[in-house]
Amino acid sequence: MLENMEAEVEVRSVLIYILFIGLLTACQGNHPKEQASSSYAIPAENIVVRPDENGWPASFDFGSRATKAQIERLDISITPDGKGLPDGMGYAKDGALLFQKKCASCHGETGREGPFDVLVADSASRAATIGNYWPYATTIFDYIRRTMPYNEPGSLTNEEVYQVTAFLLYANGVINRDDEINRQTLPAVEMPAKKHFVADDRRGGPEVR
């Protein structure tokens, strides 16, 4: 029996050694110096090195730098004043149809029913909605384009996002049914909840106090 145990230990040692060699080979194969020759590699003259203000190294020598195309695909933020809004336009009537198709299963047919977040203000409910708890109309567009529909975020065209935004603004009584929403008109929409927010005028110090 002792011989069997020794043989078993020997077999385990061999397997562990093989596993170790395999991992070592895999790590060497993914070494960033080898990735430097990939299509994502950036010429050294184009690399901007930030000043070492905190004692950090200029590079940790792993990963790869994002390409301009990769950054542009993610750089879609819309600021409260509307900077970054794309071309396109939408009306509430078109947005209502799209809302039924893409959004009603989560937010209800009118945006009031749920089962998930309620989007339309209702005097009988204390739920925070777009109509009573959203300071800037422009960021509705940003949120929808970035995160909706829940099961397929980012799949809506800019035109469709304008349409759904228009429908939600109309459903909350913020705009009229026939108002056109586009990159010029959306920043001009005054949200009812804006008066409940104050500008953060802090300067210096930590971001969170």
Side-chain angles (χ1 to χ4, degrees):
M1 183 172 179
L2 180 60
E3 290 179 357
N4 291 338
M5 291 179 62
E6 291 177 345
E8 185 177 345
V9 170
E10 185 175 348
V11 169
R12 287 183 179 178
S13 299
V14 171
L15 290 175
I16 292 173
Y17 176 77
I18 293 173
L19 179 60
F20 174 77
I21 294 299
L23 289 172
L24 183 62
T25 303
C27 290
Q28 290 175 338
N30 292 324
H31 194 279
K33 289 184 179 178
E34 294 188 9
Q35 293 180 351
S37 61
S38 71
S39 58
Y40 294 120
I42 297 176
E45 61 271 20
N46 294 339
I47 295 177
V48 177
V49 179
R50 293 189 300 178
D52 179 15
E53 299 174 345
N54 300 311
W56 294 95
S59 171
F60 291 99
D61 202 26
F62 62 81
S64 59
R65 289 182 177 274
T67 65
K68 182 180 179 182
Q70 289 173 318
I71 294 174
E72 288 178 346
R73 192 165 62 247
L74 298 174
D75 185 19
I76 58 172
S77 297
I78 309 298
T79 56
D81 63 1
K83 182 180 179 182
L85 280 170
D87 292 332
M89 47 82 77
Y91 291 95
K93 61 182 177 59
D94 300 317
L97 298 175
L98 193 59
F99 187 87
Q100 293 303 313
K101 182 179 179 181
K102 300 277 188 177
C103 318
S105 60
C106 288
H107 303 292
E109 292 186 2
T110 68
R112 295 178 174 84
E113 299 87 352
F116 298 109
D117 290 346
V118 175
L119 305 179
V120 178
D122 189 331
S123 58
S125 171
R126 297 179 61 86
T129 70
I130 288 175
N132 63 20
Y133 200 72
W134 202 288
Y136 298 104
T138 50
T139 53
I140 299 173
F141 181 100
D142 180 271
Y143 189 84
I144 294 172
R145 181 169 66 164
R146 191 182 299 276
T147 66
M148 294 293 139
Y150 181 77
N151 62 340
E152 202 174 7
S155 61
L156 299 178
T157 66
N158 292 334
E159 201 87 356
E160 289 174 327
V161 178
Y162 275 120
Q163 292 170 4
V164 175
T165 301
F167 166 70
L168 291 173
L169 290 172
Y170 165 68
N172 279 282
V174 181
I175 65 172
N176 296 316
R177 184 177 184 276
D178 296 326
D179 288 349
E180 178 180 317
I181 291 299
N182 55 46
R183 64 187 305 177
Q184 282 79 38
T185 60
L186 187 57
V189 174
E190 190 81 9
M191 297 299 291
K194 185 180 179 182
K195 59 180 179 291
H196 300 310
F197 291 78
V198 296
D200 184 355
D201 58 356
R202 295 172 298 179
R203 295 290 182 273
E207 293 184 3
V208 178
R209 298 180 182 176

